Amino acid sequence: MSKKIKTEIDKDKSKSLILSIVLTIALVVGVPLIVYGASNSLWIIMIVGIVCTVAGFYCSPIAWVHYSNVKAIKRVVDAVLIEKMESVTEISKQLQISPRVAKDRLTTAIQKRYIMGYIFDGENLTLNQKQIKKKRVISNHCPNCGGKMEVFEDFNFCPYCNTRFEIEK
């Protein structure tokens, strides 16, 4: 079974979903808290209920709209990174959205750094040939202090204890 790497857009999508659910629950829980707090003269509970109701009422629709936008941008990111689509026209046809919407979502994905290593000219994506090659990780713990780190081929000092590493090539 392959382990899926969680990208930044996946993290943002998860955070947005959790926030949307919490705000929706706050709306539902807030009303009974107001009634319970008011009927038993528990003013703190009533105030918490009012805050939950107001936050849920005003913020949950905004959070759900934000979640749907992140989900739509994720679909464009997947079209580029997984399905290897490189033009606005291609993406718009595949996702059945207008070219303007595809371009806007693609631009947002690039600005938020969900898609990196490409040059976008407004219509087509091309792989950036000047992209820095990734370094190969040699170790992830310092043998001296045990500090969590990444030792690369061209990096041979621990940032915590300054231990020098002999890197074999």
Side-chain angles (χ1 to χ4, degrees):
M1 178 164 44
S2 66
K3 186 177 181 182
K4 184 181 177 189
I5 298 171
K6 197 156 188 164
T7 61
E8 284 302 312
I9 194 163
D10 290 324
K11 292 175 188 174
D12 288 351
K13 184 179 154 195
S14 296
K15 288 177 191 175
S16 183
L17 177 63
I18 290 168
L19 179 63
S20 300
I21 291 170
V22 167
L23 287 169
T24 302
I25 291 171
L27 174 62
V28 173
V29 169
V31 175
L33 285 177
I34 294 170
V35 172
Y36 180 76
S39 63
N40 294 315
S41 298
L42 299 170
W43 305 114
I44 298 294
I45 292 178
M46 186 177 82
I47 291 170
V48 169
I50 291 170
V51 170
C52 287
T53 302
V54 170
F57 183 79
Y58 287 108
C59 298
S60 66
I62 296 168
W64 282 110
V65 168
H66 177 71
Y67 170 72
S68 69
N69 288 338
V70 171
K71 192 173 176 184
I73 291 169
K74 168 133 176 56
R75 183 61 188 102
V76 170
V77 170
D78 288 345
V80 171
L81 299 179
I82 296 171
E83 299 172 34
K84 306 298 183 198
M85 294 185 187
E86 296 178 341
S87 76
V88 170
T89 308
E90 238 179 356
I91 294 168
S92 68
K93 285 180 182 177
Q94 179 67 22
L95 303 182
Q96 298 179 351
I97 56 178
S98 73
R100 184 189 60 76
V101 171
K103 182 179 177 179
D104 290 346
R105 289 179 184 168
L106 194 54
T107 302
T108 302
I110 291 168
Q111 288 172 344
K112 292 189 176 239
R113 301 183 61 80
Y114 298 145
I115 299 174
M116 295 188 305
Y118 290 90
I119 298 172
F120 183 54
D121 65 5
E123 180 58 35
N124 295 307
L125 284 168
T126 53
L127 194 58
N128 185 356
Q129 298 301 321
K130 295 181 182 178
Q131 184 177 350
I132 299 171
K133 294 181 181 178
K134 294 183 180 174
K135 300 173 184 175
R136 186 172 64 96
V137 176
I138 306 250
S139 173
N140 61 359
H141 291 288
C142 173
N144 185 42
C145 70
K148 188 173 182 182
M149 54 178 273
E150 291 181 345
V151 178
F152 298 102
E153 290 177 344
D154 60 347
F155 180 75
N156 58 359
F157 287 96
C158 173
Y160 303 107
C161 66
N162 208 26
T163 301
R164 180 179 168 84
F165 294 99
E166 294 292 327
I167 298 176
E168 301 174 13
K169 292 189 178 183

